[in-house]
Amino acid sequence: MSTATAVRTHTLADSATMIRRRLTHMLRYPAMTVQLIGMPVVFLLLFVYVFGGTLGDGIAGGGGRGRYLDYVTPGIILMTTVGAATSTAISVAMDMAEGIVARFRTMAISRSSILTGHVIGSMISIAISIVVVISVALAIGFRPNAAPVEWLAAAGFLALFVFSLTWLAVALGLVAKNPEGASNAPLLLMLLPFFGSGFVPTDSMPTALRWFAEYQPFTPAIDTLRGLLMGDAIGNSAYQAIGCSAGITLVGFLWSMKLFNRDPSR
């Protein structure tokens, strides 16, 4: 076996170990896992059954609660990814604060596998959360009209969006001084779906807020997902969302590498 092949095999094996470690943490900390999955479901039921009747009548075409369920579900799915990003930031900050990363650095393991484990493990947990949210939405009447190809496109788009947010969350976890700080770092991200097209159309907002809503990253992402699942017009939203995801991925990855490779005695 060549040296390059041996290094790749070594890195893949270490990454698989770190992914299993991340998933094991999910099982050993069920409170965080339940919150990760449960909160989006609570928001879905809250908005549909408490506000859905009124808000649904205000959407173009009307239709009450059933129409609002179809409208709000893509926004809830994107909100699920943000909640999971908070969990990722906390997990990374806990590893840094408890010294386990410093311990890993003294061992003969691939350094890149540490962050790879967090990123891929988090993406798996987010995928599970999204499946649960969609299942609940379908159970209460969500009726997307997407063809199989559009479902695949939606899954690919969500994977890209989650990948970008996860790298940003890793950077936020690394820059935080402790897990408590990491839990507050993604707060702005959690608010963005509310200040976008996730819950009400942006044209119903005041001028200044509408401008912000239309140019922040979550609005084109939500519009793209809604278009793929419900057949609504997508326009340029897909290009904007993919561009934003690529930019966030690049910034999150470079920021994470810079923080991870800095002096460990910070």
Side-chain angles (χ1 to χ4, degrees), residues 25-42:
H25 280 184
M26 286 182 57
L27 299 176
R28 292 183 177 176
Y29 297 96
M32 182 177 291
T33 304
V34 170
Q35 181 178 356
L36 176 70
I37 298 174
M39 284 305 295
V41 173
V42 171

PDB file of all heavy atoms in Angstrom, residues 25-42:
ATOM      1  N   HIS A  25     -23.116  10.434  21.213  1.00  0.00           N
ATOM      2  CA  HIS A  25     -23.457  11.543  22.115  1.00  0.00           C
ATOM      3  C   HIS A  25     -24.942  11.878  22.022  1.00  0.00           C
ATOM      4  O   HIS A  25     -25.566  12.250  23.023  1.00  0.00           O
ATOM      5  CB  HIS A  25     -22.615  12.763  21.760  1.00  0.00           C
ATOM      6  CG  HIS A  25     -21.234  12.696  22.316  1.00  0.00           C
ATOM      7  ND1 HIS A  25     -20.322  13.717  22.204  1.00  0.00           N
ATOM      8  CD2 HIS A  25     -20.590  11.703  22.993  1.00  0.00           C
ATOM      9  CE1 HIS A  25     -19.183  13.370  22.790  1.00  0.00           C
ATOM     10  NE2 HIS A  25     -19.328  12.158  23.262  1.00  0.00           N
ATOM     11  N   MET A  26     -25.513  11.772  20.823  1.00  0.00           N
ATOM     12  CA  MET A  26     -26.944  12.045  20.661  1.00  0.00           C
ATOM     13  C   MET A  26     -27.768  11.098  21.516  1.00  0.00           C
ATOM     14  O   MET A  26     -28.772  11.489  22.117  1.00  0.00           O
ATOM     15  CB  MET A  26     -27.347  11.887  19.191  1.00  0.00           C
ATOM     16  CG  MET A  26     -26.889  12.998  18.286  1.00  0.00           C
ATOM     17  SD  MET A  26     -27.478  12.712  16.595  1.00  0.00           S
ATOM     18  CE  MET A  26     -29.248  12.616  16.851  1.00  0.00           C
ATOM     19  N   LEU A  27     -27.350   9.825  21.565  1.00  0.00           N
ATOM     20  CA  LEU A  27     -28.097   8.836  22.333  1.00  0.00           C
ATOM     21  C   LEU A  27     -27.891   9.024  23.831  1.00  0.00           C
ATOM     22  O   LEU A  27     -28.801   8.760  24.631  1.00  0.00           O
ATOM     23  CB  LEU A  27     -27.665   7.424  21.915  1.00  0.00           C
ATOM     24  CG  LEU A  27     -27.904   7.063  20.440  1.00  0.00           C
ATOM     25  CD1 LEU A  27     -27.347   5.677  20.135  1.00  0.00           C
ATOM     26  CD2 LEU A  27     -29.393   7.115  20.115  1.00  0.00           C
ATOM     27  N   ARG A  28     -26.710   9.494  24.209  1.00  0.00           N
ATOM     28  CA  ARG A  28     -26.414   9.633  25.638  1.00  0.00           C
ATOM     29  C   ARG A  28     -26.921  10.951  26.211  1.00  0.00           C
ATOM     30  O   ARG A  28     -26.913  11.128  27.431  1.00  0.00           O
ATOM     31  CB  ARG A  28     -24.912   9.494  25.860  1.00  0.00           C
ATOM     32  CG  ARG A  28     -24.409   8.082  25.578  1.00  0.00           C
ATOM     33  CD  ARG A  28     -22.938   7.935  25.862  1.00  0.00           C
ATOM     34  NE  ARG A  28     -22.506   6.556  25.653  1.00  0.00           N
ATOM     35  CZ  ARG A  28     -21.253   6.151  25.760  1.00  0.00           C
ATOM     36  NH1 ARG A  28     -20.308   7.016  26.097  1.00  0.00           N
ATOM     37  NH2 ARG A  28     -20.944   4.883  25.543  1.00  0.00           N
ATOM     38  N   TYR A  29     -27.274  11.877  25.353  1.00  0.00           N
ATOM     39  CA  TYR A  29     -27.856  13.147  25.808  1.00  0.00           C
ATOM     40  C   TYR A  29     -29.230  13.294  25.151  1.00  0.00           C
ATOM     41  O   TYR A  29     -29.434  14.142  24.285  1.00  0.00           O
ATOM     42  CB  TYR A  29     -26.953  14.318  25.453  1.00  0.00           C
ATOM     43  CG  TYR A  29     -25.604  14.278  26.133  1.00  0.00           C
ATOM     44  CD1 TYR A  29     -24.483  13.756  25.488  1.00  0.00           C
ATOM     45  CD2 TYR A  29     -25.457  14.740  27.435  1.00  0.00           C
ATOM     46  CE1 TYR A  29     -23.247  13.702  26.115  1.00  0.00           C
ATOM     47  CE2 TYR A  29     -24.228  14.687  28.076  1.00  0.00           C
ATOM     48  CZ  TYR A  29     -23.129  14.167  27.407  1.00  0.00           C
ATOM     49  OH  TYR A  29     -21.917  14.106  28.034  1.00  0.00           O
ATOM     50  N   PRO A  30     -30.178  12.462  25.583  1.00  0.00           N
ATOM     51  CA  PRO A  30     -31.490  12.447  24.904  1.00  0.00           C
ATOM     52  C   PRO A  30     -32.235  13.771  25.009  1.00  0.00           C
ATOM     53  O   PRO A  30     -33.042  14.081  24.138  1.00  0.00           O
ATOM     54  CB  PRO A  30     -32.233  11.321  25.622  1.00  0.00           C
ATOM     55  CG  PRO A  30     -31.556  11.180  26.945  1.00  0.00           C
ATOM     56  CD  PRO A  30     -30.121  11.513  26.715  1.00  0.00           C
ATOM     57  N   ALA A  31     -31.976  14.550  26.070  1.00  0.00           N
ATOM     58  CA  ALA A  31     -32.699  15.818  26.222  1.00  0.00           C
ATOM     59  C   ALA A  31     -32.425  16.740  25.040  1.00  0.00           C
ATOM     60  O   ALA A  31     -33.342  17.361  24.488  1.00  0.00           O
ATOM     61  CB  ALA A  31     -32.298  16.488  27.532  1.00  0.00           C
ATOM     62  N   MET A  32     -31.146  16.825  24.655  1.00  0.00           N
ATOM     63  CA  MET A  32     -30.801  17.696  23.531  1.00  0.00           C
ATOM     64  C   MET A  32     -31.385  17.146  22.220  1.00  0.00           C
ATOM     65  O   MET A  32     -31.865  17.910  21.372  1.00  0.00           O
ATOM     66  CB  MET A  32     -29.274  17.834  23.404  1.00  0.00           C
ATOM     67  CG  MET A  32     -28.829  18.760  22.278  1.00  0.00           C
ATOM     68  SD  MET A  32     -27.032  18.982  22.194  1.00  0.00           S
ATOM     69  CE  MET A  32     -26.750  19.924  23.707  1.00  0.00           C
ATOM     70  N   THR A  33     -31.358  15.809  22.084  1.00  0.00           N
ATOM     71  CA  THR A  33     -31.892  15.195  20.873  1.00  0.00           C
ATOM     72  C   THR A  33     -33.397  15.432  20.757  1.00  0.00           C
ATOM     73  O   THR A  33     -33.912  15.767  19.684  1.00  0.00           O
ATOM     74  CB  THR A  33     -31.598  13.692  20.871  1.00  0.00           C
ATOM     75  OG1 THR A  33     -30.192  13.487  21.019  1.00  0.00           O
ATOM     76  CG2 THR A  33     -32.072  13.051  19.582  1.00  0.00           C
ATOM     77  N   VAL A  34     -34.105  15.250  21.881  1.00  0.00           N
ATOM     78  CA  VAL A  34     -35.558  15.466  21.874  1.00  0.00           C
ATOM     79  C   VAL A  34     -35.876  16.923  21.560  1.00  0.00           C
ATOM     80  O   VAL A  34     -36.801  17.228  20.800  1.00  0.00           O
ATOM     81  CB  VAL A  34     -36.156  15.055  23.230  1.00  0.00           C
ATOM     82  CG1 VAL A  34     -37.612  15.506  23.335  1.00  0.00           C
ATOM     83  CG2 VAL A  34     -36.054  13.552  23.422  1.00  0.00           C
ATOM     84  N   GLN A  35     -35.083  17.835  22.140  1.00  0.00           N
ATOM     85  CA  GLN A  35     -35.307  19.254  21.860  1.00  0.00           C
ATOM     86  C   GLN A  35     -35.048  19.573  20.392  1.00  0.00           C
ATOM     87  O   GLN A  35     -35.786  20.333  19.763  1.00  0.00           O
ATOM     88  CB  GLN A  35     -34.399  20.109  22.745  1.00  0.00           C
ATOM     89  CG  GLN A  35     -34.578  21.608  22.532  1.00  0.00           C
ATOM     90  CD  GLN A  35     -33.702  22.427  23.452  1.00  0.00           C
ATOM     91  OE1 GLN A  35     -33.015  21.884  24.312  1.00  0.00           O
ATOM     92  NE2 GLN A  35     -33.704  23.726  23.285  1.00  0.00           N
ATOM     93  N   LEU A  36     -33.988  18.963  19.860  1.00  0.00           N
ATOM     94  CA  LEU A  36     -33.630  19.184  18.460  1.00  0.00           C
ATOM     95  C   LEU A  36     -34.772  18.783  17.529  1.00  0.00           C
ATOM     96  O   LEU A  36     -35.080  19.479  16.562  1.00  0.00           O
ATOM     97  CB  LEU A  36     -32.369  18.381  18.130  1.00  0.00           C
ATOM     98  CG  LEU A  36     -31.864  18.397  16.698  1.00  0.00           C
ATOM     99  CD1 LEU A  36     -31.308  19.765  16.369  1.00  0.00           C
ATOM    100  CD2 LEU A  36     -30.781  17.331  16.498  1.00  0.00           C
ATOM    101  N   ILE A  37     -35.416  17.662  17.833  1.00  0.00           N
ATOM    102  CA  ILE A  37     -36.503  17.163  16.993  1.00  0.00           C
ATOM    103  C   ILE A  37     -37.847  17.747  17.413  1.00  0.00           C
ATOM    104  O   ILE A  37     -38.698  18.052  16.576  1.00  0.00           O
ATOM    105  CB  ILE A  37     -36.551  15.620  17.050  1.00  0.00           C
ATOM    106  CG1 ILE A  37     -35.246  15.036  16.503  1.00  0.00           C
ATOM    107  CG2 ILE A  37     -37.737  15.076  16.272  1.00  0.00           C
ATOM    108  CD1 ILE A  37     -35.142  13.534  16.650  1.00  0.00           C
ATOM    109  N   GLY A  38     -38.023  17.910  18.727  1.00  0.00           N
ATOM    110  CA  GLY A  38     -39.332  18.297  19.220  1.00  0.00           C
ATOM    111  C   GLY A  38     -39.699  19.750  18.985  1.00  0.00           C
ATOM    112  O   GLY A  38     -40.866  20.052  18.682  1.00  0.00           O
ATOM    113  N   MET A  39     -38.743  20.670  19.098  1.00  0.00           N
ATOM    114  CA  MET A  39     -39.090  22.080  18.973  1.00  0.00           C
ATOM    115  C   MET A  39     -39.682  22.437  17.614  1.00  0.00           C
ATOM    116  O   MET A  39     -40.686  23.152  17.537  1.00  0.00           O
ATOM    117  CB  MET A  39     -37.856  22.940  19.266  1.00  0.00           C
ATOM    118  CG  MET A  39     -37.504  23.033  20.748  1.00  0.00           C
ATOM    119  SD  MET A  39     -38.888  23.628  21.746  1.00  0.00           S
ATOM    120  CE  MET A  39     -39.072  25.288  21.102  1.00  0.00           C
ATOM    121  N   PRO A  40     -39.089  21.972  16.499  1.00  0.00           N
ATOM    122  CA  PRO A  40     -39.722  22.292  15.203  1.00  0.00           C
ATOM    123  C   PRO A  40     -41.130  21.735  15.079  1.00  0.00           C
ATOM    124  O   PRO A  40     -41.996  22.371  14.476  1.00  0.00           O
ATOM    125  CB  PRO A  40     -38.764  21.647  14.180  1.00  0.00           C
ATOM    126  CG  PRO A  40     -37.466  21.519  14.886  1.00  0.00           C
ATOM    127  CD  PRO A  40     -37.815  21.259  16.324  1.00  0.00           C
ATOM    128  N   VAL A  41     -41.365  20.545  15.659  1.00  0.00           N
ATOM    129  CA  VAL A  41     -42.711  19.971  15.607  1.00  0.00           C
ATOM    130  C   VAL A  41     -43.680  20.840  16.409  1.00  0.00           C
ATOM    131  O   VAL A  41     -44.811  21.098  15.978  1.00  0.00           O
ATOM    132  CB  VAL A  41     -42.681  18.523  16.144  1.00  0.00           C
ATOM    133  CG1 VAL A  41     -44.101  17.979  16.264  1.00  0.00           C
ATOM    134  CG2 VAL A  41     -41.844  17.636  15.230  1.00  0.00           C
ATOM    135  N   VAL A  42     -43.233  21.307  17.579  1.00  0.00           N
ATOM    136  CA  VAL A  42     -44.074  22.192  18.391  1.00  0.00           C
ATOM    137  C   VAL A  42     -44.403  23.473  17.629  1.00  0.00           C
ATOM    138  O   VAL A  42     -45.553  23.925  17.609  1.00  0.00           O
ATOM    139  CB  VAL A  42     -43.376  22.516  19.728  1.00  0.00           C
ATOM    140  CG1 VAL A  42     -44.134  23.615  20.474  1.00  0.00           C
ATOM    141  CG2 VAL A  42     -43.275  21.267  20.594  1.00  0.00           C
TER     142      VAL A  42
END
